[in-house]
């Protein structure tokens, strides 16, 4: 292909970005400008979201699609798979350079990681939300959306994996999680953001070291549903019956959001061994937000045939387990996948 001369229309062509709207606070509306926490999520349609940020048109040619209009806590695997397929389909088109997904912030980290694992494209995918509805004082959605379009249309973001633009930063979709429930600086990754967006320009400083998108072995075009994976939250004074309930409901794997290093209470070990012996995969993660859970630390994973989640929090471990289980239920393979992604 011939390179366009600099300064020609082709060289300065604006990127084409599709905005897939799913709801959340970024599409929320409250009764009063002082309502930063009391409002209804998933109200404003995508065309209005785009129209509210006219600066977008200087950065990219955008068009919107209303995929869902829901709060993100109401996402199920059905929505994840449908959204993943739509993103994949769009990115296969020559006339689409990048995709932005507007999303509620509660489970944004799950969707971002899911798309990172299953969409086989190097083109930028940006998942974005806001902490305040557009009706609030200091609403953050407009800038977050402008930043999302900037990243989705930028050459620098190609191959960098799914990103999340919140609070002027470019976060890594795999790593990031919601840490605070009420402020614009809610999203955090223990490994740090990938960069920043300032006035329509991206500044990247790091890249994701884990397999993602085109280097991933998973492909949404081959996935029509996900197996059920449960999470059990660790604390003092637990009841073994919670694990039974998950298995009876059909969970193919249980992520144990253990205390500390993913520790398991002595009185629960037999229950988890029993569950594993009957076929359910046991994955040790931790309720502690940072750090890594390593094999045979706290519990003899080799002996019990359990898997560890590395640095993935329970919600992310659940996503990876569900995706991995579409291909294998061999625990050695699952552990390899938990190290590589
Ligand atoms: N800040 C938000 O987006 C939270 C609103 C809602 N609970 C959601 O996740 O969609």
């Amino acid at each position: 292909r011939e390179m366009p001369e600099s300064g020609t229309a082709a060289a300065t062509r604006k990127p084409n970005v599709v905005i897939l709207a799913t709801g959340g606070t970024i599409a929320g509306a409250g009764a009063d400008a002082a309502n930063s926490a009391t409002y209804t999520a998933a109200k404003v349609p995508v065309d209005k979201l785009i129209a509210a940020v006219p600066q977008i048109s200087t950065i990219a040619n955008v068009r919107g699609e209303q995929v869902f209009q829901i709060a993100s806590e109401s996402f199920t695997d059905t929505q994840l798979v449908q959204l993943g397929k739509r993103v994949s389909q769009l990115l296969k088109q020559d006339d689409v350079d990048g995709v932005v997904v507007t999303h509620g912030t509660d489970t944004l980290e799950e969707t971002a990681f899911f798309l990172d694992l299953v969409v086989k494209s190097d083109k930028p995918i940006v998942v974005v939300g806001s902490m305040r509805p557009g009706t609030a004082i200091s609403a953050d959605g407009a800038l977050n959306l402008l930043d999302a379009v900037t990243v989705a249309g930028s050459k620098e973001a190609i191959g960098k994996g799914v990103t999340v633009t919140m609070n002027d930063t470019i976060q890594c979709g795999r790593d990031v999680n919601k840490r605070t429930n009420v402020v614009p600086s809610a999203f955090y990754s223990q490994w740090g953001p990938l960069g920043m967006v300032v006035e329509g320009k991206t500044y990247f400083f790091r890249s994701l070291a884990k397999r993602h998108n085109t280097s991933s072995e998973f492909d949404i075009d081959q996935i029509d549903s996900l197996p059920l994976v449960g999470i059990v939250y660790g604390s003092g004074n637990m009841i073994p019956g919670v694990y039974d309930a998950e298995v009876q409901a059909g969970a193919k794997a249980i992520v144990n959001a253990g205390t500390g290093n993913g520790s398991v209470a002595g009185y629960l070990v037999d229950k988890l061994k029993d569950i594993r012996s009957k076929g359910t995969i046991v994955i040790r993660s931790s309720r502690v937000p940072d750090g890594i859970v390593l094999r045979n630390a706290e519990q003899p994973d080799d002996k019990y045939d359990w898997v560890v989640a590395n640095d993935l929090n329970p919600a992310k471990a659940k996503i990876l387990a569900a995706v991995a289980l579409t291909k294998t239920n061999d625990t050695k393979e699952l552990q390899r996948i938990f190290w590589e992604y």
Side-chain angles (χ1 to χ4, degrees), residues 228-232 242-256 271-283 304-307 321 325 329-331 334:
L228 185 68
V229 177
I231 297 176
V232 175
V242 190
Y243 296 95
D244 295 321
E246 290 283 358
V247 173
Q248 274 156 27
K252 299 287 177 275
I254 292 175
V255 175
N256 197 62
K271 173 55 68 185
L272 283 174
K273 282 166 67 179
D274 180 53
I275 282 172
R276 175 67 205 114
S277 74
K278 290 173 181 151
T280 307
I281 303 295
V282 173
I283 300 161
Y304 297 162
D305 198 25
W306 294 348
V307 174
L325 283 165
N329 51 20
D330 178 272
T331 47
L334 291 169

Side-chain angles (χ1 to χ4, degrees), residues 1 13 15-20 61 63 65 85-99 119-124 152 221:
R1 219 156 44 119
R13 178 181 79 81
N16 299 322
V17 173
V18 179
I19 301 181
L20 299 180
N61 306 311
R63 65 179 178 85
E65 270 181 40
K85 284 186 185 292
R86 186 66 189 131
V87 173
S88 168
Q89 212 172 43
L90 284 167
L91 292 179
K92 284 192 180 116
Q93 292 179 205
D94 289 339
D95 63 348
V96 176
D97 297 302
V99 163
V119 178
K120 303 282 271 181
S121 176
D122 265 345
K123 292 180 185 174
D221 298 350

Side-chain angles (χ1 to χ4, degrees), residues 23-26 39 41-42 70-74 103-108 129-132 166 178 181:
T25 297
I26 194 164
Y39 57 86
I70 58 175
S72 69
E73 62 271 25
S74 300
H103 201 290
T105 53
D106 289 6
T107 65
L108 189 152
S130 76
M131 294 302 292
R132 296 177 180 141
M166 299 282 296
K178 188 177 184 179
N181 65 345

Side-chain angles (χ1 to χ4, degrees), residues 280-324:
T280 307
I281 303 295
V282 173
I283 300 161
R284 288 196 306 116
S285 178
S286 175
R287 71 178 193 179
V288 178
D290 290 336
I292 53 179
V293 177
L294 297 173
R295 282 193 76 76
N296 304 312
E298 288 284 353
Q299 289 291 335
D301 299 294
D302 290 348
K303 190 167 150 204
Y304 297 162
D305 198 25
W306 294 348
V307 174
V308 294
N310 198 9
D311 67 327
L312 296 175
N313 73 15
K316 292 196 185 250
K318 174 172 167 166
I319 293 289
L320 181 55
V323 169

Side-chain angles (χ1 to χ4, degrees), residues 30-101:
D32 187 271
N35 290 129
S36 62
T38 315
Y39 57 86
T40 311
K43 280 272 156 209
V44 183
V46 64
D47 290 339
K48 276 205 169 152
L49 294 184
I50 296 169
V53 194
Q55 295 80 0
I56 283 177
S57 65
T58 65
I59 289 169
N61 306 311
V62 298
R63 65 179 178 85
E65 270 181 40
Q66 193 75 48
V67 187
F68 316 118
Q69 186 64 294
I70 58 175
S72 69
E73 62 271 25
S74 300
F75 259 69
T76 66
D77 292 347
T78 308
Q79 279 84 26
L80 271 187
V81 169
Q82 187 185 328
L83 178 66
K85 284 186 185 292
R86 186 66 189 131
V87 173
S88 168
Q89 212 172 43
L90 284 167
L91 292 179
K92 284 192 180 116
Q93 292 179 205
D94 289 339
D95 63 348
V96 176
D97 297 302
V99 163
V100 167
V101 176

